[in-house]
Structures are given as structure tokens and as C-alpha cells.
């Protein structure tokens, strides 16, 4: 008898998660921010080709460069976490493994962002 059930019948009553739109908007906003910040980052890195360590540290220590670099790092880690979340939701069907992987991805993204921002702050504010 269960082979006559439609997918709609199985889904009825579950309701929507009401978070898909926010996730979609955050992913698009971080992608848009990354377009501009990646262009800035490429120009910044290309301007430092052939520069010595002191010149590179001085360039990162400038307030606008440090702010833009932190913005790039935050947008990059946030966007990566959102993208990996979608991939895991689509392809991992074991709920316990999905939970463990989602938690691991979020933890690694937050840890990576914190360490990266700390490194920029340390350079920008002087050891």
C-alpha cells in the first residue's frame, strides 16, 4: 500500500523550514562582496610582487588595506561555509553524519576566520 503514496503525501504537514531565502540572500551578498574584494585583493597582491617583507607589512598595516583584508577574509570564510552547507545538505543523507559534518564545517570556518583576522590585526597593529 505504501507504494501508492506520492512524495507530496509524504511531505504534507512538514511545513517549510523558512530559512532558505535568508540562506540564499546571504550567499548572494557574500558572493557580491567577494567579487569586489577579490579584485582589490588581486591588485593588492600584484602590487607587492618583488617587495621585501618590511614593505609588505607596511602595506598591510595601512588602515584601509587591513580593513579590506579583514572584510575579504570574513566574506570568504562565510561564503565557503554557506556553499559547503548546501553541498552537505544535498549529498549527505545520514542525519548523524550530516550533523557532524555541518558542525565541523562551521567550526573550521569560524576558527579559520578568527585565526586569519588575528594575523591581520597583529600585523596591522604591530607585533
Amino acid at each position: 500500500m505504501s507504494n501508492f503514496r506520492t512524495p507530496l503525501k509524504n511531505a504534507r504537514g512538514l511545513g517549510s523550514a523558512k530559512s532558505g531565502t535568508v540562506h540564499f540572500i546571504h550567499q548572494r551578498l557574500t558572493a557580491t562582496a567577494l567579487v569586489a574584494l577579490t579584485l582589490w585583493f588581486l591588485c593588492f597582491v600584484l602590487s607587492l610582487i618583488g617587495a621585501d617583507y618590511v614593505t609588505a607589512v607596511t602595506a598591510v598595516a595601512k588602515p584601509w588595506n587591513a580593513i579590506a583584508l579583514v572584510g575579504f577574509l570574513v566574506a570568504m570564510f562565510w561564503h565557503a561555509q554557506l556553499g559547503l552547507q548546501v553541498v552537505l545538505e544535498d549529498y549527505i543523507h545520514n542525519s548523524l553524519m550530516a550533523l557532524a559534518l555541518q558542525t565541523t564545517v562551521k567550526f573550521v570556518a569560524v576558527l579559520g576566520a578568527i585565526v586569519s583576522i588575528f594575523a591581520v590585526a597583529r600585523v596591522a597593529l604591530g607585533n
Side-chain angles (χ1 to χ4, degrees), residues 9-74:
K9 177 65 177 171
N10 292 332
R12 204 168 291 233
L14 296 177
S16 75
K18 294 185 175 51
S19 65
T21 305
V22 172
H23 182 94
F24 177 84
I25 290 171
H26 285 165
Q27 200 166 23
R28 294 320 180 263
L29 286 174
T30 55
T32 304
L34 279 173
V35 168
L37 289 169
T38 300
L39 291 173
W40 167 83
F41 184 73
L42 288 174
C43 292
F44 180 69
V45 169
L46 290 175
S47 71
L48 292 175
I49 290 178
D52 60 347
Y53 176 77
V54 175
T55 306
V57 168
T58 304
V60 172
K62 291 181 182 175
W64 289 111
N65 287 339
I67 290 169
L69 191 54
V70 167
F72 174 72
L73 292 167
V74 168

Side-chain angles (χ1 to χ4, degrees), residues 5 7 15 20 25 29 95 100 102 104:
R5 287 192 140 184
I25 290 171
L29 286 174
S95 60
Q102 290 284 5
T104 303

Side-chain angles (χ1 to χ4, degrees), residues 73 77-78 80-82 103-114:
L73 292 167
F77 280 108
W78 192 4
Q81 184 271 320
L82 290 171
T103 305
T104 303
V105 165
K106 287 186 188 222
F107 178 75
V108 169
V110 169
L111 183 66
I114 289 171

